Amino acid sequence: MRRRTRLIAAVVVAAMLATSVLAAVSMLLGRRAAVDIPDEGPWAVYVSGDASGAGACASDPAVVDAYMSADQPSSSAVFVLAADARRGDVERVHGCVSAAVATGATVVVGTAPEAPGA
């Protein structure tokens, strides 16, 4: 009887460990959702929803301006990248921002170039 109880306990523990590992892997993979980045920049990362946790992302060297709504908690934000930013910069900034906000709350857009003489 004791042997059977130990076997059942071992199977239960193994199943719990496997479930925990699978959950951790799916969280890591799910957090790295692919982002649709326009072919040409300059780019900006927009946030819909509370972006207060993403404030540190504004210190990234590729970010030239960052704006957050004044309401508390903030209801929107934008991180404007430098005109000479590269795709890797966009991916890095988006990764920083998306790690600090709700899943699906971000979008990357290509900003319109400034009009001549503006």
Side-chain angles (χ1 to χ4, degrees), residues 8-89:
I8 291 172
V11 169
V12 168
V13 168
M16 288 172 47
L17 287 173
T19 303
S20 298
V21 168
L22 288 174
V25 168
S26 69
M27 283 175 46
L28 289 173
L29 294 177
R31 196 64 169 156
R32 285 291 200 173
V35 58
D36 185 23
I37 299 174
D39 293 334
E40 294 184 27
W43 295 282
V45 178
Y46 282 83
V47 180
S48 175
D50 183 13
S52 57
C57 301
S59 64
D60 188 287
V63 176
V64 293
D65 284 313
Y67 306 96
M68 280 192 196
S69 62
D71 53 339
Q72 292 297 322
S74 65
S75 59
S76 62
V78 62
F79 297 83
V80 181
L81 279 74
D84 63 346
R86 301 202 182 278
R87 189 172 192 85
D89 297 324

